[in-house]
Amino acid sequence: MAATTDATPSAQPERPGMTDGVCSEFTVFAEIKPGHADAMREDLAAFTSGKADDIRSAMHEIGTLHEARHVMFDNDTRYMFASSFDGSWDAYIDDFAKTAAGARFEKILSHAEGFPGIADPGVKDWFVAHQEPAGIFVSSYPELTVQQVWKDERVDEAFQDVLDTPEFRAALDNPANAELVGTPAFQKLLEEASA
C-alpha cells in the first residue's frame, strides 16, 4: 500500500531557523548604513536606558520572547539581532511589531541597509533575506514556553509564601496530616522547595 501525503499547502511559507522543543531561534545580520554607526549605537543605548520596565512590559505583551540581543560588530559596519521565542515565526514577527519594543526596534533598524520598516508588507521578506539559521541551537528548557516559565515562577512565589507561614508549619506538625506529609510526592515537594 502506498503512503499518503497531505497535499494541502501550509498556510505559512517555510521559515529559516532551528527549533528545540517549543523554542525557536531567530538571528538576523545586516549591514549598517555608512555614517550611521554612532546613531545606531545611540539608539541602542536609548532602547535600554531607563526603560527596562517598558521593555519588560513589551516582552510580556509579546508573551513568547525568551531573550534577545543586539550586537554591532566588524568595526561597526554590521549588526546582529538574535532572539529565541515560542510558536510560529510569522506570529512572532507580527506580535513583536505591535508593541512599544517594535517601534524602538524599527528606529534601530532604520540604520540598516534596505530595512523597509516594521509595518511594511515586505518586512518579513527582508528578515528572511537577512536571517541566518544557527548551526546548533539548544534550549535549557525545551518543553517550557515563556508563559509556562512565568506561571511556574508565580506558583513558586506563592508556594514560598505559604511555606513561610506559621499555619503551614503547624499543619506539618499536626498528626492528622502525617499520612499526607509522609508521601513521597509531598516529601519531594518539600525537598525541591528547600533547594
Side-chain angles (χ1 to χ4, degrees):
M1 180 176 194
T4 60
T5 60
D6 183 1
T8 306
S10 171
Q12 298 292 339
E14 185 68 27
R15 299 300 192 184
M18 295 186 73
T19 61
D20 185 16
V22 298
C23 193
S24 298
E25 60 88 18
F26 177 70
T27 307
V28 170
F29 295 95
E31 301 292 324
I32 298 172
K33 294 175 183 175
H36 281 245
D38 289 341
M40 179 180 263
R41 190 174 309 290
E42 288 173 16
D43 287 340
L44 285 168
F47 187 68
T48 57
S49 66
K51 307 247 190 312
D53 289 342
D54 290 347
I55 293 168
R56 299 245 182 259
S57 176
M59 289 179 78
H60 276 271
E61 189 179 347
I62 294 166
T64 58
L65 178 62
H66 288 267
E67 50 73 40
R69 60 211 160 278
H70 300 261
V71 179
M72 294 173 67
F73 63 104
D74 282 349
N75 295 317
D76 293 347
T77 62
R78 300 184 71 211
Y79 163 82
M80 178 196 78
F81 173 79
S83 65
S84 57
F85 63 95
D86 303 322
S88 82
W89 187 97
D90 286 275
Y92 170 63
I93 300 298
D94 292 341
D95 292 345
F96 194 87
K98 296 173 190 171
T99 68
R104 292 192 186 118
F105 193 72
E106 175 159 14
K107 189 169 185 181
I108 292 164
L109 279 176
S110 71
H111 304 293
E113 293 284 355
F115 183 69
I118 201 77
D120 188 283
V123 74
K124 289 181 182 179
D125 293 333
W126 187 89
F127 281 131
V128 168
H130 291 82
Q131 188 174 348
E132 188 64 41
I136 297 173
F137 174 66
V138 180
S139 174
S140 291
Y141 42 90
E143 299 309 319
L144 291 176
T145 65
V146 169
Q147 295 295 322
Q148 290 166 318
V149 170
W150 289 342
K151 180 181 178 183
D152 290 350
E153 183 178 46
R154 291 189 308 270
V155 168
D156 181 61
E157 287 173 5
F159 186 63
Q160 292 299 327
D161 288 345
V162 168
L163 288 177
D164 293 337
T165 64
E167 295 84 1
F168 180 76
R169 292 292 165 203
L172 286 179
D173 295 336
N174 186 331
N177 296 324
E179 189 176 333
L180 171 65
V181 172
T183 64
F186 198 87
Q187 288 300 308
K188 181 179 179 183
L189 181 65
L190 291 177
E191 287 171 19
E192 290 295 329
S194 64

